[in-house]
């Protein structure tokens, strides 16, 4: 059933896990990105958990109730694992994995009495509603259970059944146009959280991916609702768990469940709002077409700190040439800028920027060398000419504006490019920012270096572009 | 080659006889996704119809399932040792077979050291619709020529078939650019599997993410993309 896995993969995945890392750059307790979209029809919803995708559709029909429970409707949950999701899923007969998932979903949603089955009764002993949730795995990349449980509960919440009126013996099922359809009465939102254990429970991961699932020793599923009521707990695999590990998992599950519940309720609210306001909704509308599918990352705001204790106001006056540099000057002069509060980079004197403690500049180059390299590039870099001390300030400013998402004329420059750290996965990595800034620090130090080396202001202007250019090559 | 830039999306069952005949050439080659059914050229999968020099036609799409083709180099996982052959999973519908004699320097006495779970880089000798594919790890002169068992120190990951083809195309600069940043050893199988070995775990993760991100990156954007990921990975 499971994917065939080679020794090389197994060894590598285990060494990654024992190094406290994950292939997609997540932390141990991080979930992948959850995305919930609803179809045009009520009760239709697609959930994406990273690359795992599940499509859910709720439907209902009037049936005769069972003799043992004549006043209760029924709820059925069925998860279909087709080869579309993964080549390892066989068509036709249900695998043991499929049975396990189906059973867990039933236990979590039906047996926790999430749906009020008594409200599904139309005529006692005669007619009840049978609600059915069909789940289809569209793509498999681990943690199918969590994804399906989110899809099932979101779909049940989204679903509206037709209104029924009973007059004497006669039962009328009103069409959707005739009467406003009614929502199911749902008591709570049970959500499954999967934990994977490695090396006899030494390492624990939340939301395992397909690869991680193949090498795990065992896994535990905790199904809980936002009120911290435990609905189901299941342990599979060949390992023993300690008592405190179980309670730790439950504590993590509490946090995760409340997060996921928020995501589901927000998605439901947004959909309801869009329908109410007559806006566009449904799968076709929720698809982002002009999206870059990979190595795309949202712009981040990185705080910058300003220190105004220097005496270098004269040099700052030279910078009226470029608009953004002018702004930098203002920032400097009236130190009461709004960005001051949450800043990290100190600017002690104009042209000097330090991040953290500051180190000795080891990037000082012989003067002649820098002179030589400056000359050829003056021809092409007309846009970058400015007095040298401003360079640092403009750099800071540009950096800042880039982070704020302001589009200025230099926004195409490489400095800004590096600010927008790539790939979603890397976004989560612990410290991408200092690394990016390292280049900046070097940049500044060279900018500082230049004015002392070159004499007249005119030469300095020319030198600047080249200085920067060269510096760009340096750290790479 | 105006015809190759013209993009037509086709669905299974579409009759493309007119399209193929329009190219003017009497002889044409049909690639993956196209079949001949009673003198009609019919599409058998959905995707974009592509052509080359107006005589070769195929359908390009995003696909993970490998369909064996003769002469292609693939990465397989040894799943079974049965007598004198190994059963190798290459991601196709049927497992491939690999004789223990088709390794460099292997004789009846001197069997190659292949364990179950090992990765082999092999060439498809037989790829037929109704037969088990057959692999070899030697060329016609008995040399391994790069084929053989891959070290267990590296990491193998799966990607779409399209990405493998893209990486192997001479126009793709990704591996050249990436190789300048990280020393790496890479083997790309046409069956959507890439084996990778770098100096450290984090470098391997970085290289893997770069390769996977390259699927939707155009060639001119590759250097900046590599740069971004590398700078972000430096702190990981």
């Amino acid at each position: 059933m499971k994917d065939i896995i080679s020794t090389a993969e197994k060894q590598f995945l285990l060494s990654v896990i024992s190094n406290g890392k994950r292939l997609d750059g997540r932390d141990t307790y991080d979930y992948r990105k959850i995305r919930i979209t609803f179809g045009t029809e009520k009760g239709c919803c697609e959930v994406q958990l990273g690359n795992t995708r599940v499509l859910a559709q709720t439907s209902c029909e009037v049936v005769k109730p069972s003799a043992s429970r004549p006043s209760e409707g029924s709820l059925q949950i069925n998860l279909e694992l087709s080869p579309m999701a993964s080549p390892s899923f066989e068509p036709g007969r249900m695998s043991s994995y499929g049975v396990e998932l189906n059973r867990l979903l039933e236990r979590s949603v039906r047996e926790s009495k999430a749906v009020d089955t008594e409200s599904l009764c139309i005529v006692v002993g005669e007619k009840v509603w049978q609600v059915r949730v069909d789940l289809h795995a569209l793509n498999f990349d681990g943690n199918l259970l969590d994804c399906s449980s989110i899809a099932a509960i979101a779909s049940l919440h989204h679903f509206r059944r037709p209104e029924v009126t009973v007059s004497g013996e006669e039962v009328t099922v009103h069409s959707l146009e005739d009467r406003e359809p009614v929502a199911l009465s749902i008591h709570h939102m049970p959500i499954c959280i999967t934990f994977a254990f490695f090396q006899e429970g030494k390492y624990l991961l939340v939301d395992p991916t397909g690869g991680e699932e193949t090498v795990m020793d065992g896994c535990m599923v905790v199904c809980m609702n936002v009120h911290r009521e435990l609905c189901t707990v299941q342990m599979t695999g060949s390992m023993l768990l300690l008592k405190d590990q179980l309670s730790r998992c439950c504590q993590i599950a509490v946090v995760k469940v409340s997060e996921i519940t928020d995501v589901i309720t927000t998605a439901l609210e947004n959909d309801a709002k869009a329908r109410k306001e007559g806006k566009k909704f449904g799968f076709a509308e929720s698809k982002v077409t002009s999206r870059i599918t990979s190595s795309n990352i949202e712009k981040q705001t990185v705080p910058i700190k300003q220190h105004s204790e220097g005496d270098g106001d004269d040099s700052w006056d030279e910078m009226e040439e470029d608009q953004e540099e002018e702004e930098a000057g203002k920032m400097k002069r009236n130190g009461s800028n709004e960005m001051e509060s949450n800043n990290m980079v100190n600017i002690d004197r104009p042209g000097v920027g330090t991040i953290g403690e500051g180190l000795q500049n080891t990037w000082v180059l012989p003067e002649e060398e820098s002179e030589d390299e400056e000359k050829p590039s003056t021809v092409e870099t007309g846009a970058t000419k400015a007095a040298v001390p401003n360079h640092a300030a403009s750099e800071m400013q540009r950096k800042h504006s880039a982070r704020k998402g302001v589009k200025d004329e230099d926004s195409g420059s490489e400095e800004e490019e590096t600010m927008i750290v790539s790939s979603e996965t890397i976004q989560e990595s612990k410290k991408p920012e200092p690394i990016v800034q390292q280049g900046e620090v070097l940049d500044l130090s060279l900018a500082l270096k230049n004015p002392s080396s070159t004499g007249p202001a005119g030469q300095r202007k020319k030198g600047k572009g080249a200085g920067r250019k060269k510096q760009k090559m340096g750290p790479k | 080659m105006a015809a190759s830039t013209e993009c037509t999306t086709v669905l299974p069952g579409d009759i493309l006889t007119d399209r193929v005949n329009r190219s003017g050439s009497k002889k044409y080659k049909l690639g993956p996704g196209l079949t001949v059914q009673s003198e009609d050229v019919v599409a058998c999968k959905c995707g974009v119809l592509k052509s080359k020099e107006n005589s070769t036609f195929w359908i390009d799409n995003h696909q993970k399932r490998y369909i064996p083709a003769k002469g292609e180099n693939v990465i397989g996982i040894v799943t079974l040792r049965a007598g004198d052959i190994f059963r190798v999973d290459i991601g196709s519908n049927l497992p491939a077979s690999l004789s223990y004699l088709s390794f460099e320097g292997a004789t009846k006495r001197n069997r190659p050291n292949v364990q179950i779970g090992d990765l082999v880089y092999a060439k498809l000798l037989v790829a037929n619709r109704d037969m088990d594919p057959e692999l070899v790890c030697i060329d016609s002169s008995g040399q391994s020529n790069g084929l053989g068992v891959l070290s267990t120190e590296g990491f193998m990951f799966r990607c779409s078939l399209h990405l493998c083809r893209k990486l192997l195309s001479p126009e793709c600069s990704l591996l050249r650019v990436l190789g300048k940043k990280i020393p790496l050893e890479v083997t790309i199988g046409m069956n959507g599997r890439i084996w990778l070995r770098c100096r450290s775990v984090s470098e391997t993760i970085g290289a893997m993410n770069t390769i996977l991100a390259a699927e939707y990156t155009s060639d001119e954007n590759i250097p900046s993309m590599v740069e971004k990921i590398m700078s972000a990975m430096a702190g990981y």
Side-chain angles (χ1 to χ4, degrees), chain A residues 46-208:
Chain A
E46 190 202 339
V47 176
Q48 294 179 24
L49 180 66
N51 285 331
T52 302
R53 282 178 172 217
V54 172
L55 179 76
Q57 171 72 60
T58 307
S59 55
C60 66
E61 59 177 327
V62 180
V63 292
K64 201 173 175 1
S66 66
S68 56
R69 293 172 193 269
S71 66
E72 277 184 30
S74 65
L75 174 70
Q76 287 190 345
I77 298 173
N78 184 35
L79 171 65
E80 195 81 33
L81 301 177
S82 73
M84 170 170 57
S86 163
S88 59
F89 295 156
E90 278 169 39
R93 110 202 128 79
M94 204 190 279
S95 59
S96 62
Y97 181 63
V99 173
E100 186 193 332
L101 290 186
N102 266 307
R103 183 71 196 127
L104 266 168
L105 283 169
E106 274 182 6
R107 271 163 63 184
S108 72
V109 181
R110 192 171 71 190
E111 283 164 32
S112 72
K113 304 253 186 258
V115 177
D116 180 12
T117 42
E118 289 197 9
S119 71
L120 296 172
C121 176
I122 304 167
V123 179
V124 176
E126 289 294 321
K127 286 183 172 65
V128 289
W129 284 112
Q130 185 193 54
V131 178
R132 187 184 164 86
V133 187
D134 282 292
L135 298 153
H136 288 268
L138 302 181
N139 197 21
F140 176 76
D141 187 21
N143 210 0
L144 197 54
L145 179 71
D146 294 15
C147 194
S148 332
S149 93
I150 296 169
I153 202 74
S155 165
L156 280 168
H157 266 272
H158 193 245
F159 181 65
R160 300 286 181 275
R161 66 170 170 84
E163 175 74 290
V164 194
T165 46
V166 185
S167 52
E169 286 287 290
E170 203 172 290
V171 177
T172 328
V173 178
H174 297 280
S175 69
L176 300 182
E177 294 79 30
D178 200 12
R179 289 235 186 139
E180 187 68 18
V182 288
L184 302 175
S185 114
I186 298 170
H187 297 310
H188 62 103
M189 271 195 196
I191 288 158
C192 296
I193 308 289
T194 307
F195 299 90
F197 295 94
F198 303 88
Q199 297 189 7
E200 301 296 319
K202 197 173 164 196
Y203 299 101
L204 181 155
L205 291 183
V206 174
D207 185 19

Side-chain angles (χ1 to χ4, degrees), chain B residues 144-209:
Chain B
S144 74
N145 214 349
L147 302 172
V149 180
L150 297 169
S151 161
T152 52
E153 277 163 37
F155 178 53
M156 197 267 287
F157 58 95
R158 290 139 220 256
C159 61
S160 75
L161 303 183
H162 172 252
L163 179 61
C164 285
R165 289 196 294 268
K166 182 178 173 174
L167 290 173
L168 288 168
S169 82
E171 292 100 64
C172 185
S173 62
L174 178 79
L175 292 176
R176 281 194 294 275
V177 176
L178 187 61
K180 282 182 189 143
K181 302 280 170 198
I182 305 176
L184 59 94
E185 202 179 330
V186 68
T187 306
I188 301 169
M190 288 295 281
N191 55 345
R193 290 178 185 175
I194 298 173
W195 176 89
L196 188 68
R197 180 158 69 175
C198 298
R199 285 176 305 192
S200 67
V201 166
S202 40
E203 276 188 356
T204 314
I205 297 176
M208 185 192 97
N209 282 310

Side-chain angles (χ1 to χ4, degrees), chain A residues 302-365:
Chain A
V302 179
I304 294 173
K305 191 171 183 177
Q306 284 238 314
H307 252 284
S308 63
E309 46 173 66
D311 48 358
D313 267 28
D314 332 30
S315 54
W316 291 78
D317 291 339
E318 295 175 32
M319 61 163 93
E320 252 66 52
E321 290 181 44
D322 224 328
Q323 218 235 314
E324 54 171 41
E325 274 144 25
E326 204 178 313
E327 277 171 26
K330 277 181 199 154
M331 256 163 52
K332 165 76 185 165
R333 274 180 223 117
N334 25 327
S336 60
N337 214 303
E338 77 265 31
M339 61 166 80
E340 212 185 22
S341 51
N342 54 347
N343 280 331
M344 267 150 63
V345 180
N346 304 321
I347 299 179
D348 299 328
R349 278 179 291 133
V352 183
T354 51
I355 298 164
E357 291 297 305
L359 294 163
Q360 206 72 40
N361 178 15
T362 55
W363 283 77
V364 179
L365 295 155

Side-chain angles (χ1 to χ4, degrees), chain A residues 3-9 11-13 15-16 19 21-26 87 139 293-295 417 420-423 425-426 429-432 435-436 476, chain B residues 64-65 77 79 89 116-119 151-156 158 181 195 201-202 204-205 208-209 213 216-217 224-225 227-229 231-236:
Chain A
D3 258 354
I4 301 155
I5 191 160
S6 65
T7 338
E9 282 172 280
Q11 283 179 5
F12 183 77
L13 282 167
S15 71
V16 167
N19 280 352
K21 290 174 181 167
R22 292 178 91 164
L23 285 186
D24 44 13
R26 281 185 290 156
N139 197 21
T293 45
S294 69
S295 72
E417 289 278 325
I420 309 160
V421 188
S422 62
S423 169
T425 57
I426 282 127
S429 77
K430 280 159 209 160
K431 38 194 172 178
I435 278 72
V436 174
K476 283 173 198 176
Chain B
K64 289 182 191 165
R65 167 69 78 190
I77 306 168
T79 54
D89 168 70
I116 287 169
D118 272 357
L119 292 171
S151 161
T152 52
E153 277 163 37
F155 178 53
M156 197 267 287
R158 290 139 220 256
K181 302 280 170 198
W195 176 89
V201 166
S202 40
T204 314
I205 297 176
M208 185 192 97
N209 282 310
Y216 304 107
T217 313
S224 64
M225 187 268 295
E227 194 63 49
K228 280 180 195 171
I229 295 187
S231 61
M233 282 307 291
Y236 185 59

Side-chain angles (χ1 to χ4, degrees), chain B residues 120-138:
Chain B
V120 284
Y121 186 51
K123 194 182 271 296
L124 274 158
L125 187 71
V126 175
N128 215 318
R129 190 192 284 178
D130 309 309
M131 281 164 66
D132 281 9
E134 199 180 321
L135 299 168
V136 283
C137 285
I138 40 169

Side-chain angles (χ1 to χ4, degrees), chain A residues 212-346:
Chain A
E212 285 160 356
E213 277 192 358
T214 47
V215 296
M216 70 187 176
D217 281 347
C219 92
M220 185 163 85
V221 176
V222 176
C223 181
M224 210 183 252
N225 64 17
V226 80
H227 314 296
R228 301 187 177 200
E229 290 163 339
L230 214 53
C231 303
T232 293
V233 178
Q234 192 195 252
M235 244 320 293
T236 44
S238 54
M239 54 162 291
L240 296 169
L241 262 193
L242 300 172
K243 207 193 288 173
D244 55 331
Q245 276 176 316
L246 183 76
S247 62
R248 187 150 131 250
C249 288
C250 289
Q251 276 161 9
I252 299 163
V254 168
V255 181
K256 293 294 160 198
V257 163
S258 68
E259 280 173 14
I260 294 170
T261 312
D262 282 348
V263 173
I264 299 175
T265 35
T266 323
L268 283 163
E269 275 165 19
N270 287 345
D271 182 71
K273 210 170 139 195
R275 279 167 197 266
K276 208 176 168 188
E277 289 171 2
K279 282 189 195 157
K280 287 173 175 172
F281 55 89
F283 287 139
E285 298 305 327
S286 358
K287 285 281 170 279
V288 188
T289 46
S290 60
R291 189 178 55 146
I292 301 166
T293 45
S294 69
S295 72
N296 173 37
I297 196 162
E298 276 130 49
K299 289 185 178 174
Q300 289 173 294
T301 316
V302 179
I304 294 173
K305 191 171 183 177
Q306 284 238 314
H307 252 284
S308 63
E309 46 173 66
D311 48 358
D313 267 28
D314 332 30
S315 54
W316 291 78
D317 291 339
E318 295 175 32
M319 61 163 93
E320 252 66 52
E321 290 181 44
D322 224 328
Q323 218 235 314
E324 54 171 41
E325 274 144 25
E326 204 178 313
E327 277 171 26
K330 277 181 199 154
M331 256 163 52
K332 165 76 185 165
R333 274 180 223 117
N334 25 327
S336 60
N337 214 303
E338 77 265 31
M339 61 166 80
E340 212 185 22
S341 51
N342 54 347
N343 280 331
M344 267 150 63
V345 180
N346 304 321

